[in-house]
Amino acid sequence: MSVIALARSKRRFTYWRVLRALYRLLLLLLVAAGSIIFIMPFAWMVSTSFKSSDEVLRFPPVWIPQTLHFENYTIPWHRLPFPTYYKNTLIVVIFNLIGTVLSSSIVAYGFARLRFRGRSWLFLLVLSTMMLPSQVTLVPTYYLFAKLGWVNSLRPLIIPVYFGSAFNIFLLRQFFMTISTELDDAAKIDGCGFFSIYWRIILPLARPALGVIAIFQFTYDWNDFFNALIYLNSPKNFTIALGLRTLQSTMLYTPMQHIMAMTLVAILPVLLVFVIAQRYFIQGIVITGIKG
Amino acid sequence: MASPFWVRQNVSVAGASTAAQAIGAARKRPRALSMRAREEIAGYLCIMPWLIGFLIFTAGAMLFSLGLVFFKTDLLTGFKWVGLGNIRKMATDPLFHKSLGVTSYYSFATVPLSLAIGLLIALGLNQNLFAQGLWRTLYYLPSVTSGIAVAMLWMWIFHPDVGLLNQALRLIGIQGPRWLYSEQWAIPAFIIMGTWGAGGNMLLYLAGLQSIPTHLYEAARIDGAGSIRCFFSITLPMLSPTIFFNLVMGIIGSFQVFTQALVMTQGGPNNATLTIMLYLYRKGFEQFQFGYASAIAWALFCIILLLTLLVFRSSALWVYYEGEVRK
C-alpha cells in the first residue's frame, strides 16, 4: 500500500517537474524575444560606433561592419577633455545621490506617516510643481541663480536637489505607505520617537525603493543636458551630457560613428552602476503569486 | 475638504487616548505636549526641507510665469498689460485646439499601454529565471539610451519603404502605413515609441513586488489559495500604490510630450503631431510671445492638475495602503 502510494506520488512529482521546467523555458524564451525589441537602439549604437563613414550612410543600414573601426573611439576622445567632463559629472552625481536619498526620504516620511494640518493640500502642491513645463519657469529661475552668483558653477545642478525632488518624494511616499504601521506602534511603545522610526524602521524596509530613486537620480543627472547647457558656460565645468552635445555642434563637425562611440562611452558608467546596483536592491526571490 | 477630514481624525484620536491620558494626567499634563501635537510638529519638521526649497527656488518662478499670462511680452523690450487677452486668444486659436486633441490622443493611449506592459515585464522578470540580472538590464536599456541615437533609430524603424517595422509587416502580408509621414499614423507611431520606454515603470514594479512581505503569500497558501487567487488578492492590491504612482507620473509626463515631436516630425504632417508643448515652444522660443506661451503652459497645468485630482479622488476605490495613517 505504502509502496504504491509512494510510486504514485513520485510519478506525479515527475510530471510536475516536467511541467514546471516547460513553463520556465517558455517564460525564458518569451523574455528573451521581448528583450530584442528593447535592446535594439543599444545594439544599433554599438554597431554604428564601429562602422566606416561609408557604411554609416548606407540605407537600409548594415548591422555588422566589415572591419571594426576602433579609431572611432580614440579620435573623438582626444578632441575634447573627456576626463574633465567625467570628473564634473561624478561630482554632481555623488553629491546628488546623497542629497536626494536623505532629503526626499525625510519629506516623504512626513507626508506618508505623520498627520498634520494641510497635509493633503501641501502634498498636492508638491505634485503640482511637476505639472508646469520647465520652459516657462526657466527665465526667472535663471535670474535667481544669476543673482545668487551660481551661474557657471555646478551649484545650480546640485543644491536644489538637497531640498528634495517632487518625483522622488512622491515615489517614496507611495512605498512608505505600504509598510505596515504595526512596526511603528511597537517602536513607539519601546519609546522610539518619530525620527528613530524613520531611521530604524522605514529606511531599512524601503531599501528597494531607495535603490530605485538612486538609479533614477543617477540616470537623470548623467544624461541631464538641459540644465547643464543653461547654467554652465566655461568648458572646464562641462558635464558629460554637455560634452557630447559639444561634439555634435555644427562648429565642430563630427561624423555619426564618432558621436555614437562617445555616447556609448558616456552611458557605460550608468549601465555598470545599474548592473551592480540591481543585484542589491532587487534580489532574486520569487514572491509573486504566479510561482508554479 | 481638508478641514472636516481633520476634525474627524482629531476626535477619534482624542477618544482613543482618553484612558491613557486619565492615568498620566495628574503628573504629566502641564508640561508634556500631547502625542498628537508632537506628531504635528514632527510632520512640519520633516517636510521643512521641501517647503524651504519650494519657497526659494520654485514658488517665485511659478508666480512670475502666472503673472506673464496677463501680459504681451518678449521679456526684453517691455511688458504690455493685456488682461485676459491671451486667454481669449487661446479660446479661439484653432492650432491650440488641435494641439489639445493631439496630446490627449497620445496620452490616453500611451499611459494605459505602458502601465500594462511595464507590469507584464516586471511580473515575468520577477520569476526565477536564468540570468535574471541580464534580462533586467536589457529591458532597462531604453531608459538609459536617449537623445539623438534613439530618435534616429526610430526614424529608420518607421521608414515607410525600407523601415524595419514595415518589412516585418510585409512578411506577414500586410502593407504597412507611412507612419511618420501619414497624418493618421504619426501619433500611433509616437504611442509605440512611448510604450517602448516602459522600462522605468518596470523597475518600479519590480521594487514594489520586492516590498510585498512574503508572509502574506505563506498565509494565503496555508489557507489554500491558488496562484491566480494570490495574484489578485495579494500582488495586485499590494502593488496598487506603485500602479497609482506610475499612472499619475504617466499623465504628468505624457501631457508634456515634446522631444519626439520637435526632433522627428517638427509637428507635421499637417500638424498631426503638434503637441501642446511643441506649440508652447514655438510661441515662446521661436516667436517670442512669452505671455501667450505662459497662458498655454498654465492651461496645460490646469488640465494635468484636473486629471491628477480625478485620479486621487478615485484612489480610495482601488489603491490599498497597508500602512495608511488615517485611523
Side-chain angles (χ1 to χ4, degrees):
Chain A
M1 172 76 187
S2 70
V3 176
I4 297 169
L6 194 72
R8 196 180 288 161
S9 83
K10 208 173 175 183
R11 197 183 326 146
R12 201 184 299 157
F13 186 61
T14 349
Y15 281 148
W16 187 229
R17 259 175 51 170
V18 169
L19 214 69
R20 232 170 102 146
L22 267 177
Y23 164 75
R24 281 270 167 77
L25 194 71
L26 199 77
L27 195 76
L28 192 65
L29 284 176
L30 220 77
V31 167
S35 75
I36 293 173
I37 304 172
F38 281 77
I39 59 169
M40 278 240 302
F42 194 71
W44 188 68
M45 276 167 73
V46 174
S47 131
T48 308
S49 76
F50 287 108
K51 283 178 188 168
S52 66
S53 49
D54 187 43
E55 284 167 322
V56 170
L57 296 173
R58 208 167 294 160
F59 207 84
V62 276
W63 277 95
I64 300 157
Q66 276 182 336
T67 44
L68 298 182
H69 294 264
F70 283 101
E71 73 273 14
N72 291 347
Y73 284 82
T74 49
I75 294 172
W77 177 267
H78 292 299
R79 286 180 81 184
L80 290 170
F82 276 97
T84 312
Y85 300 161
Y86 269 106
K87 192 197 79 197
N88 291 329
T89 317
L90 268 179
I91 294 173
V92 173
V93 160
I94 290 170
F95 273 108
N96 282 4
L97 278 185
I98 300 168
T100 204
V101 167
L102 287 179
S103 63
S104 299
S105 69
I106 187 97
V107 176
Y109 172 69
F111 279 120
R113 289 297 219 206
L114 303 173
R115 285 162 297 177
F116 51 88
R117 248 166 283 209
R119 183 178 67 166
S120 34
W121 292 110
L122 281 167
F123 186 65
L124 199 66
L125 198 61
V126 173
L127 293 183
S128 73
T129 59
M130 293 186 282
M131 299 174 191
L132 196 67
S134 57
Q135 276 83 341
V136 292
T137 51
L138 182 71
V139 175
T141 310
Y142 184 88
Y143 181 76
L144 174 75
F145 286 143
K147 279 275 167 226
L148 290 168
W150 290 0
V151 170
N152 200 19
S153 77
L154 296 175
R155 278 172 283 184
L157 308 187
I158 296 173
I159 295 173
V161 174
Y162 277 75
F163 295 91
S165 82
F167 180 87
N168 290 338
I169 292 169
F170 182 26
L171 196 155
L172 287 179
R173 171 204 183 248
Q174 293 304 100
F175 274 86
F176 291 171
M177 284 175 83
T178 62
I179 298 171
S180 162
T181 45
E182 282 166 29
L183 288 165
D184 294 29
D185 297 338
K188 271 181 210 159
I189 291 165
D190 287 348
C192 269
F194 293 110
F195 186 75
S196 41
I197 292 175
Y198 156 75
W199 191 254
R200 294 190 187 169
I201 296 175
I202 303 290
L203 278 193
L205 281 175
R207 219 175 295 147
L210 294 173
V212 169
I213 66 158
I215 284 192
F216 281 168
Q217 186 74 38
F218 192 100
T219 315
Y220 174 81
D221 285 328
W222 202 272
N223 293 331
D224 177 26
F225 146 75
F226 188 68
N227 285 310
L229 174 74
I230 305 270
Y231 296 115
L232 307 176
N233 307 327
S234 60
K236 71 172 187 358
N237 288 327
F238 277 13
T239 56
I240 279 285
L242 198 52
L244 274 181
R245 209 40 83 109
T246 314
L247 206 62
Q248 287 167 24
S249 73
T250 42
M251 288 193 294
L252 198 82
Y253 173 74
T254 314
M256 180 53 69
Q257 64 273 30
H258 292 189
I259 292 174
M260 289 297 161
M262 284 301 100
T263 310
L264 270 179
V265 172
I267 63 171
L268 218 57
V270 188
L271 270 185
L272 270 177
V273 165
F274 181 78
V275 171
I276 297 164
Q278 65 98 15
R279 256 173 214 285
Y280 288 101
F281 75 84
I282 309 172
Q283 295 95 28
I285 318 163
V286 178
I287 46 170
T288 42
I290 321 181
K291 182 185 173 189
Chain B
M1 183 197 116
S3 90
F5 168 62
W6 156 253
V7 169
R8 230 184 307 134
Q9 270 185 353
N10 201 9
V11 169
S12 72
V13 168
S17 57
T18 13
Q21 274 177 356
I23 297 167
R27 247 185 296 151
K28 276 190 179 170
R29 215 214 260 142
R31 255 195 279 147
L33 284 164
S34 75
M35 193 71 175
R36 205 47 237 268
R38 264 190 288 159
E39 185 175 341
E40 180 117 342
I41 292 165
Y44 285 122
L45 280 178
C46 279
I47 66 158
M48 207 43 83
W50 174 79
L51 202 61
I52 293 170
F54 172 75
L55 291 175
I56 297 174
F57 298 116
T58 324
M62 282 177 86
L63 284 177
F64 177 81
S65 77
L66 183 62
L68 281 189
V69 171
F70 307 103
F71 288 91
K72 183 177 162 64
T73 175
D74 59 0
L75 293 182
L76 292 171
T77 51
F79 297 83
K80 189 180 162 235
W81 174 264
V82 290
L84 295 177
N86 283 325
I87 297 168
R88 235 175 277 132
K89 190 170 148 196
M90 214 158 49
T92 52
D93 181 350
L95 276 180
F96 175 67
H97 296 166
K98 172 87 187 172
S99 74
L100 274 183
V102 167
T103 312
S104 316
Y105 175 23
Y106 173 79
S107 291
F108 281 108
T110 310
V111 173
L113 265 174
S114 51
L115 275 185
I117 288 177
L119 182 59
L120 260 172
I121 299 171
L123 287 174
L125 293 184
N126 199 45
Q127 312 275 308
N128 247 335
L129 276 179
F130 171 73
Q132 205 173 23
L134 173 76
W135 302 122
R136 284 176 181 164
T137 311
L138 294 187
Y139 278 92
Y140 188 63
L141 269 179
S143 314
V144 189
T145 36
S146 58
I148 186 165
V150 176
M152 291 190 56
L153 176 85
W154 279 107
M155 279 163 85
W156 166 53
I157 289 179
F158 285 127
H159 193 283
D161 305 315
V162 286
L164 198 69
L165 192 57
N166 277 2
Q167 279 183 6
L169 286 175
R170 216 165 293 143
L171 280 183
I172 50 172
I174 298 171
Q175 178 58 46
R178 298 188 60 76
W179 297 111
L180 297 171
Y181 302 95
S182 143
E183 227 178 295
Q184 197 186 348
W185 286 95
I187 284 292
F190 277 21
I191 294 166
I192 295 173
M193 280 168 59
T195 311
W196 174 81
N201 282 356
M202 170 214 75
L203 198 63
L204 269 173
Y205 286 130
L206 274 177
L209 287 169
Q210 293 289 318
S211 308
I212 304 176
T214 14
H215 70 78
L216 292 177
Y217 290 104
E218 284 153 16
R221 281 294 147 92
I222 292 166
D223 291 345
S227 300
I228 293 167
R229 183 70 202 271
C230 276
F231 176 75
F232 283 103
S233 303
I234 299 173
T235 311
L236 264 192
M238 292 299 284
L239 215 52
S240 60
T242 314
I243 300 175
F244 178 74
F245 176 84
N246 281 338
L247 175 60
V248 173
M249 287 316 301
I251 292 171
I252 293 177
S254 66
F255 265 92
Q256 299 184 38
V257 56
F258 174 53
T259 322
Q260 298 96 303
L262 180 74
V263 177
M264 296 176 61
T265 57
Q266 294 85 42
N270 192 18
N271 292 324
T273 56
L274 182 76
T275 67
I276 301 179
M277 281 298 296
L278 182 64
Y279 192 53
L280 182 160
Y281 175 82
R282 283 190 179 161
K283 285 291 164 198
F285 293 86
E286 284 175 7
Q287 300 167 17
F288 304 108
Q289 304 179 12
F290 280 102
Y292 193 50
S294 285
I296 296 172
W298 278 91
L300 181 62
F301 176 89
C302 291
I303 294 167
I304 300 176
L305 184 67
L306 206 74
L307 286 171
T308 308
L309 278 175
L310 276 176
V311 174
F312 261 86
R313 273 298 162 111
S314 78
S315 72
L317 300 174
W318 63 275
V319 183
Y320 172 73
Y321 293 111
E322 173 83 6
E324 193 164 23
V325 209
R326 217 172 228 203
K327 283 165 260 178

